[in-house]
Amino acid sequence: MIKKIKLLFVAVGLSMTFGITSCKDFLDRDPQSLVSDKDAFKNFVNFQGFTEELYHCIPDFTNAYWTNSWNWGEDEIQSTAQTFHFCVKIDNGDFWGWQRNFDGWQAGWMDRNNNQTNDDRFAKSLWGLGWYAIRKANMGLANIDKLTDATQEEKNLIKGQLLFFRGWYHFMFMQYFGGLPYIDKVLPGDQKLTLPRLKYSECADKAAADFREAANLLPANWDNTTAGKRTLGKNQLRINKIMALGYLGKNYLWAGSPLMNSVSGGSRTYNAEYCKKAADAFAELLSLCESGEAPYSLVPFAQYYTNFYTTGQNWNIPGGTEAIFRGPYYGANNSNWGTSKQYSPLIISEGDVKFLPTSNYVNYYGMANGMPIKDVTQADSESGYNPEYPWKGRDPRFYNDIVFDGVKMVAGSIPNASEANNRYANLHTGGSYRDIATGSRTGYLLFKFVPRTANKYDQGYSYDKSLNIHLPYMRLADVYLMYAEAAAQGYGSPTGKSASYSKTAVDAINVIRDRASVGRVASKFLGSLDLFMEEVRRERAVELSFEGHRFNDLRRWLLLTQSPYTLKKSLEFDRASTLDPNKDPKENRVLNIRETTILERKFTDKHYWLPLKNNDANLYLEFAQNPGW
């Protein structure tokens, strides 16, 4: 049985005799695991073992607790049975909730009391292990010259990984908290800290230098290296050129986005120069993938679900050829304990905490012809949408991701005759699935990350089904969409492109739509940059739905505080006739369709950044708290 995806070099360097006291609070070690710096860095195998602890600092945000919250935009709402998850706190404007001292359940993946680099998924948090990982990366870089018993290829592999991780953990912090000190050396533990917070752009430039050098040092495919052949076929998680280029581009695009540009001293618009740099990095990545030099490609739409989960494959990690960056999976069968049950209503499942797609967000899934839905309650001749048949003719990704009224949910037998009515999704107003505490509050269910069999009757989440849910931090589809945004904003046009790549911004959007057999971007959206950006934002909303991107997208676009992005709604409607189980549910007619606002989030400008911990912000004058907190 595969308990986790292992990085196979012997990790002799998990903790060293120097620097250990600064990490003692959250990294307890067996004394026998302590090794000298001479042993840790003397050859490639040992140094790689030292480096691989950095991988085990990456939180698995999809399986970090029994139930898991990672969608914090207007995309998702939680059932009311519990209120401890961060998504509920964000809805209430309480952004302090990311911090462990405001989370008595210890359910959040951003900060926890007990942090370890072992196999415990509950012992991983970004803040707790991220700073440790930065220090460890700096320790490795400070000792890189001690790696004498190694080839040049091996030295490049070690240094490239260390640089990537130093850049990645800084980037992850920056996108939530803004400009911070960029720690690029081992800080002495016996001296007072005075490092000032940098501008966002200054941090981004330093991260970019690390990502760029990492990309120059690392191969596109470890399997094609001499060192990588020792673990041939098991190198998918190892940091490579594509991962470094992906985050080089993302780092530049974020720095060029309206929020980050504004706090760096620019205007509340895009920074074209950063966007051009982002487009060039993405162009280099996409060229390597499309030429076959790098082992990444979009998975066929028939296997689209393998981006997010596998079942019946002995807990094989999801992602296929499309996942670019993801962390290790910390244990077999973990998904089955909670994540797999947090989407289906209690009436056919287990557990009380449920995460529901908001109806306003589901509206972004337009029609199969590629046109958006202007108003879900009104007929539209241009798109072909009919509010009496709201499930008909939709974007194929809608049918993959979203469960709507009348969809068959239970394939096998239902022993209790009184429960037989629950075989089909009763999501109409007053239906059995519409329970605000433990069912759907919105008229929809999210099944992008679980099979339809994930219910108590079909037992799709039982141990023998080996269901593994594990979302990547970055996949290839995201890169195409980021390239489209960067190229359009960098060059001021939907047909903008990097000089080093053949595709324009609109071409990149159409690559993603072609995969799903969705109509291409209509000519009406190509007449201006503003119109095109409406489709760019909608395409990101659909293709990357519920994968943890929306909150940061709304923030960097300066839309988080703006209506309608502050609203979370439900879809209310009546069935026009008794449900016919022999009829395709897409053909079901509805009456009295309308939307109701469940809540409105009361945000101000301070909510564009998470608050730092007060204990940290009070350490010294130069490390100031974020405005408004």
Side-chain angles (χ1 to χ4, degrees), residues 94-400:
D94 176 18
F95 284 23
W96 294 103
W98 76 269
Q99 300 177 20
R100 64 188 183 215
N101 49 314
F102 294 96
D103 180 10
W105 293 71
Q106 293 294 291
W109 59 271
M110 290 192 66
D111 189 39
R112 283 215 176 110
N113 285 326
N114 180 36
N115 288 269
Q116 302 285 335
T117 56
N118 57 19
D119 298 347
D120 184 359
R121 61 185 172 130
F122 288 0
K124 313 284 179 185
S125 70
L126 182 64
W127 189 262
L129 289 177
W131 290 113
Y132 169 75
I134 288 170
R135 178 173 176 83
K136 187 179 179 77
N138 282 326
M139 291 167 67
L141 290 166
N143 287 278
I144 197 74
D145 291 341
K146 295 180 180 177
L147 180 57
T148 55
D149 182 12
T151 66
Q152 189 60 50
E153 175 192 80
E154 290 171 338
K155 293 177 182 178
N156 290 348
L157 290 172
I158 295 293
K159 187 175 182 181
Q161 290 173 91
L162 295 171
L163 287 166
F164 173 86
F165 277 118
R166 185 168 72 183
W168 188 79
Y169 284 105
H170 275 105
F171 170 78
M172 291 297 288
F173 290 148
M174 290 154 49
Q175 68 175 339
Y176 289 111
F177 302 103
L180 295 167
Y182 198 91
I183 313 300
D184 54 8
K185 62 182 178 181
V186 179
L187 298 178
D190 58 351
Q191 296 181 18
K192 182 180 179 181
L193 293 174
T194 59
L195 293 173
R197 294 189 65 176
L198 303 177
K199 291 182 180 179
Y200 193 99
S201 57
E202 293 172 328
C203 279
D205 288 342
K206 288 181 177 291
D210 280 348
F211 288 134
R212 180 67 265 179
E213 187 176 358
N216 293 342
L217 292 169
L218 292 167
N221 187 349
W222 273 64
D223 281 358
N224 295 335
T225 66
T226 301
K229 285 183 170 58
R230 304 179 194 180
T231 49
L232 191 66
K234 299 177 181 178
N235 293 313
Q236 299 95 324
L237 302 189
R238 300 190 192 283
I239 304 304
N240 59 32
K241 182 186 294 289
I242 300 304
M243 298 174 193
L245 288 173
Y247 276 97
L248 175 62
K250 185 171 185 175
N251 173 63
Y252 275 140
L253 178 57
W254 262 228
S257 294
L259 172 63
M260 289 72 171
N261 189 40
S262 68
V263 298
S264 296
S267 64
R268 294 168 69 90
T269 58
Y270 281 90
N271 181 304
E273 292 309 308
Y274 273 129
C275 290
K276 288 176 182 178
K277 291 179 180 180
D280 287 344
F282 294 135
E284 185 178 349
L285 183 161
L286 292 170
S287 295
L288 289 168
C289 293
E290 292 176 355
S291 70
E293 187 172 339
Y296 298 99
S297 60
L298 299 177
V299 301
F301 193 63
Q303 285 81 50
Y304 188 64
Y305 71 94
T306 62
N307 277 311
F308 318 114
Y309 71 88
T310 57
T311 183
Q313 297 183 36
N314 197 27
W315 291 284
N316 184 40
I317 193 168
T321 59
E322 192 165 332
I324 291 178
F325 181 72
R326 53 199 161 157
Y329 182 60
Y330 303 112
N333 199 36
N334 281 338
S335 297
N336 298 340
W337 287 109
T339 314
S340 63
K341 300 167 186 172
Q342 68 183 45
Y343 299 113
S344 50
L346 180 60
I347 200 167
I348 62 166
S349 184
E350 301 168 60
D352 55 358
V353 177
K354 308 298 177 182
F355 296 87
L356 297 316
T358 60
S359 67
N360 46 287
Y361 193 85
V362 173
N363 293 344
Y364 291 124
Y365 290 83
M367 304 300 286
N369 59 16
M371 298 300 292
I373 296 171
K374 297 174 183 177
D375 183 340
V376 75
T377 69
Q378 301 294 319
D380 177 28
S381 59
E382 185 176 39
S383 68
Y385 174 76
N386 183 344
E388 292 189 0
Y389 296 91
W391 334 123
K392 189 175 182 178
R394 299 290 288 270
D395 183 323
R397 291 169 292 187
F398 170 82
Y399 304 113
N400 181 86

Side-chain angles (χ1 to χ4, degrees), residues 71-86:
N71 291 309
W72 306 328
E74 91 286 31
D75 44 354
E76 194 170 80
I77 193 167
Q78 189 187 300
S79 62
T80 62
Q82 300 288 351
T83 60
F84 59 84
H85 276 301
F86 188 38

